[in-house]
Amino acid sequence: MADTREGLFDRLPGKSYTAAAVSIAAKAGEWIRSKAGQHETLEIKANASDLVTEVDKGSEAMIRNLVKTYFPEHGVLGEEGLYAEGATIGEALEAAWAGGREYVWIVDPLDGTTNFVHGFPFYVVSLALAWRGEVVAGVVYDPNRDEMFVAEKGKGAYFRGRRMRVSGEGALADSLLATGFPASRGEMLRDNVAGIGALAPLVRNIRAAGSAALHMAYVACGRLTGFWELNLNPWDLAAGALLVQEAGGKVTDTLGRPYSLETRHVIATNGSVHEELRKVLDEAGATGMR
């Protein structure tokens, strides 16, 4: 394949990368939906808020197999893969690009496991493709509502066949925000609560529904004005970040630096309220940066 941006979405065996991502996410989501209320195992990872079931693992195995069927030369970075075995984020990222791979799929097979376990229908499959470390395609699929959010780098973001755009609110006072609570119970949680305390009096309201990927998809389609969360991982953010950016929004870390796969503390907004939100978090000591 030509080493040019124009060649990023050349068709391979009759399927574009984005079409393959949509197909893979839909298959995994359909399987997850068939398992709702039927999980048999529940494991605790770092703490009681960090859960995994056989459904998470089965979804990731399905996604890995499908990716390898379509694109055997591509790498896969997933939440239930090397990272789950004790590798650091850096080690997992390095392993994903091992052997000179240019393309790596970044997979959250079930973002919102706690919701899934409790029967709260707010969880998704998140799937992104990175080329040389840059996210170039991403999908977030909500199997409960059969909603597929799709983006290609430089080609826009789409929902139900129509172009997505972020919301038009111009000030925090008119904004509906969302956040999430980190699994860790230490400084990150304290920072997160401080951010909520600082922002709650300034905004229309705040939601915390338990899926970073779906919150970011909601920013992209205008259902939310903005979203912030601390201590996230590449698979939580990669697809959602591209959705927001391609829908006309802005994604940075909590210090205002551009999003990358190394970003852990994120702000994603319609762009208009971004700096105002970032400043409130900074003044509250709620950036997660110490």
Side-chain angles (χ1 to χ4, degrees):
M1 178 174 292
D3 185 8
T4 66
R5 190 159 303 281
E6 289 75 21
L8 284 176
F9 300 110
D10 286 349
R11 292 185 175 274
L12 294 180
K15 289 185 178 290
S16 73
Y17 294 143
T18 304
V22 168
S23 175
I24 292 167
K27 286 181 171 64
E30 289 167 6
W31 184 76
I32 290 169
R33 184 172 54 202
S34 75
K35 297 295 182 181
Q38 302 178 46
H39 69 277
E40 297 177 354
T41 64
L42 178 62
E43 300 174 23
I44 295 173
K45 294 193 281 188
N47 55 60
S49 297
D50 195 5
L51 307 178
V52 64
T53 70
E54 81 279 4
V55 179
D56 300 72
K57 295 177 180 179
S59 175
E60 182 161 323
M62 176 186 293
I63 291 168
R64 285 179 179 273
N65 288 338
L66 288 168
V67 167
K68 290 301 183 183
T69 297
Y70 288 129
F71 312 113
E73 72 280 13
H74 289 192
V76 179
L77 173 64
E79 181 174 11
E80 307 309 328
L82 184 64
Y83 178 69
E85 298 173 1
T88 66
I89 293 293
E91 289 168 343
L93 284 168
E94 184 177 349
W97 267 275
R101 293 190 186 103
E102 292 193 330
Y103 292 92
V104 171
W105 294 82
I106 303 168
V107 177
D108 195 330
L110 203 176
D111 185 44
T113 300
T114 298
N115 290 344
F116 177 79
V117 167
H118 287 271
F120 184 71
F122 199 86
Y123 47 84
V124 296
V125 177
S126 178
L127 185 60
L129 175 64
W131 177 72
R132 296 185 176 181
E134 179 182 10
V135 180
V136 295
V139 301
V140 171
Y141 179 57
D142 177 352
N144 291 295
R145 296 168 188 80
D146 191 24
E147 292 186 339
M148 182 79 72
F149 305 87
V150 183
E152 281 190 4
K153 181 75 174 179
K155 295 188 177 182
Y158 294 85
F159 174 64
R160 299 196 188 282
R162 296 185 176 182
R163 190 79 176 253
M164 284 195 295
R165 298 299 301 175
V166 293
S167 68
E169 292 86 26
L172 282 181
D174 302 317
S175 298
L176 179 63
L177 302 182
T179 189
F181 296 96
S184 62
R185 298 303 196 190
E187 292 179 346
M188 293 301 167
L189 181 59
R190 289 193 294 272
D191 280 7
N192 185 240
V193 171
I196 294 171
L199 283 162
L202 305 178
V203 302
R204 185 159 285 162
N205 219 316
I206 298 174
R207 303 287 183 254
S211 168
L214 192 49
H215 279 142
M216 294 183 80
Y218 279 13
V219 173
C221 73
R223 294 174 182 173
L224 290 169
T225 315
F227 164 73
W228 89 99
E229 189 169 344
L230 308 180
N231 207 36
L232 292 170
N233 298 301
W235 42 86
D236 300 311
L237 297 175
L242 186 64
L243 286 170
V244 173
Q245 291 166 334
E246 289 297 316
K250 185 174 182 178
V251 185
T252 71
D253 70 8
T254 51
L255 296 183
R257 298 175 296 196
Y259 167 79
S260 73
L261 291 178
E262 286 75 37
T263 297
R264 304 295 302 278
H265 313 313
V266 73
I267 301 173
T269 74
N270 66 354
S272 300
V273 304
H274 200 94
E275 188 58 19
E276 189 180 2
L277 172 55
R278 191 198 65 77
K279 285 182 178 178
V280 172
L281 292 176
D282 186 51
E283 290 169 1
T287 62
M289 304 288 192
R290 298 178 183 277

